[in-house]
């Protein structure tokens, strides 16, 4: 990818993200008071949000990683979700918190919910930093949503464009040059 092929419009600042995570963490701490949770980082996009969120939680947290891919190098979902890395411990009887960077069509989250529900956790809920209500194609519940956004292609803070730009500390809107 040539850096001249796109521009990035600053969209959600580091400060706004930090403040939002503190609010989400307060809700999660209250809802799971006295319980241990298994937080599941859905790779790759969630790793930055995940690391900030778990450090804001005041609960006992076990961390698990689930590798998934559906977009490849495209800007729209292929609709086919692939598991690229599975959990390495049991979640039966545990309180599971799926941590997603973004719920777009909802197809990935729907897949994850089905995939993990089959392992009989005590409960399963989802935190997503970003959600695009207008892009949803399936019915999925997200208990903890950071920001609801329009149907724009966002990058940074873990989100990529063709595997680049995950390291931006803020969230930007990607504009591709014609
Ligand atoms: C992104 C993102 C979500 C998913 C959301 O993953 O991390 O998991 O897409 O899209 P959906 O709601 O339309 O299914 P992607 O497949 O791009 O892989 P990545 O996390 O490795 O970037």
């Amino acid at each position: 990818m040539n850096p001249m092929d796109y521009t990035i419009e600053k969209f959600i600042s580091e400060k706004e993200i930090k403040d939002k995570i503190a609010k989400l963490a307060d809700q999660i701490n209250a809802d799971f008071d006295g319980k241990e949770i298994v937080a599941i980082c859905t790779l790759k996009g969630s790793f930055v949000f995940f690391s900030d969120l778990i450090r804001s939680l005041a609960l006992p947290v076990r961390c698990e990683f689930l590798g998934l891919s559906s977009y490849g190098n495209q800007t729209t979902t292929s609709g086919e979700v692939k598991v690229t890395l599975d959990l390495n411990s049991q979640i039966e009887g545990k309180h599971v918190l799926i941590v997603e960077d973004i719920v777009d069509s909802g197809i990935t989250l729907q897949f994850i919910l089905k995939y993990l529900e089959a392992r009989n956790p005590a409960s399963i809920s989802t935190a997503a930093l970003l959600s695009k209500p207008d892009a949803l194609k399936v019915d999925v519940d997200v208990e903890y949503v950071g920001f609801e956004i329009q149907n724009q292609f966002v990058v940074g803070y873990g989100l990529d464009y063709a595997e680049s730009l995950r390291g931006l500390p803020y969230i930007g809107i990607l504009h591709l040059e014609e």
Side-chain angles (χ1 to χ4, degrees):
M1 181 180 49
N2 184 330
M4 299 304 288
D5 291 341
Y6 63 83
T7 55
I8 298 165
E9 178 190 342
K10 282 200 176 169
F11 182 38
I12 305 175
S13 70
E14 290 175 74
K15 168 86 168 68
E16 288 170 304
I17 295 170
K18 194 174 172 219
D19 291 349
K20 186 64 79 173
I21 289 175
K23 282 190 184 143
L24 294 177
D26 284 348
Q27 288 174 38
I28 296 167
N29 285 333
D31 291 353
F32 290 92
D33 190 28
K35 294 176 182 144
E36 179 188 72
I37 62 169
V38 180
I40 299 189
C41 177
T42 57
L43 298 170
K44 298 177 190 167
S46 300
F47 73 103
V48 181
F49 173 46
F50 181 85
S51 64
D52 282 343
L53 182 67
I54 60 150
R55 284 181 293 168
S56 304
L57 294 175
L59 305 162
V61 181
R62 287 176 40 200
C63 298
E64 284 290 329
F65 298 85
L66 183 63
L68 297 161
S69 188
S70 65
Y71 278 64
N73 282 345
Q74 312 302 311
T75 55
T76 55
T77 182
S78 65
E80 186 198 346
V81 182
K82 288 182 192 147
V83 175
T84 56
L85 175 75
D86 206 345
L87 310 184
N88 68 8
S89 75
Q90 305 255 357
I91 56 165
E92 187 169 351
K94 309 282 185 193
H95 295 285
V96 166
L97 178 69
I98 299 165
V99 180
E100 262 289 20
D101 50 340
I102 186 165
V103 176
D104 193 316
S105 69
I107 289 170
T108 304
L109 180 59
Q110 186 185 53
F111 173 90
I112 299 168
L113 287 166
K114 231 186 228 174
Y115 190 72
L116 298 181
E117 272 160 8
R119 298 180 186 187
N120 299 316
S123 71
I124 188 160
S125 46
T126 304
L129 183 64
L130 303 167
S131 150
K132 289 184 182 175
D134 295 343
L136 268 185
K137 290 188 182 156
V138 293
D139 191 20
V140 281
D141 285 334
V142 182
E143 287 76 8
Y144 309 99
V145 177
F147 302 92
E148 289 196 342
I149 64 170
Q150 302 294 308
N151 206 356
Q152 292 142 320
F153 193 85
V154 281
V155 292
Y157 198 73
L159 292 107
D160 74 311
Y161 172 57
E163 292 301 330
S164 282
L165 305 173
R166 294 193 196 270
L168 282 181
Y170 59 88
I171 294 169
I173 297 173
L174 184 81
H175 298 286
L176 294 175
E177 305 289 316
E178 292 301 314

